[in-house]
Amino acid sequence: QVQLVESGGGLVQAGGSLRLFCSASGSTFSTYAAGWFRQAPGKDREFVAAISRNSNTYYSDSVKGRFTIARDDAKNTVWLQMNSLKPEDTGVYYCVAAPVVSLVRGALGSWGQGTQVLVST
């Protein structure tokens, strides 16, 4: 198993940007696909973005064109660049890793503890 820790969350005004980081302990991300989910209060977790071991990327329609997922295997890190943030982007963002991207998109993998993103109007 791999242990994941998210960071980079915070409070930002609508239209602003944040970059979230997901750090894996010990092993590299080279053998894992990874992704991000988010959860608003009272709602289920929803898929945000994913990246395969070969750096193919996938996005939900709600963030496409605004968010970018990328990976740096040498640093055991996946990050999510969030631009043009909207209030509806508010929530706790979770990193997930799994052997293949289909498992990541299906929310089947190892999870971090989450980092909170608050987007004000």
Side-chain angles (χ1 to χ4, degrees), residues 14-110:
S17 298
L18 283 174
R19 180 175 286 192
L20 306 182
F21 297 89
C22 175
S23 179
S25 61
S27 60
T28 69
F29 274 122
S30 63
T31 61
Y32 289 90
W36 293 89
F37 284 70
R38 66 188 181 190
Q39 186 171 26
K43 295 185 177 181
D44 294 331
R45 291 187 187 185
E46 64 172 328
F47 171 75
V48 176
I51 186 166
S52 75
R53 292 173 293 183
N54 296 321
S55 295
N56 296 316
T57 57
Y58 308 85
Y59 300 93
S60 69
D61 289 340
S62 62
V63 308
K64 193 174 300 181
R66 299 187 298 120
F67 291 10
T68 302
I69 187 171
R71 62 191 300 153
D72 186 344
D73 290 339
K75 296 181 179 180
N76 297 329
T77 300
V78 170
W79 68 93
L80 182 70
Q81 178 66 44
M82 305 186 296
N83 298 325
S84 301
L85 283 163
K86 304 175 180 179
E88 52 262 43
D89 294 319
T90 292
V92 178
Y93 283 68
Y94 298 89
C95 180
V96 61
V100 295
V101 73
S102 60
L103 294 176
V104 171
R105 297 190 68 182
L108 300 173
S110 299

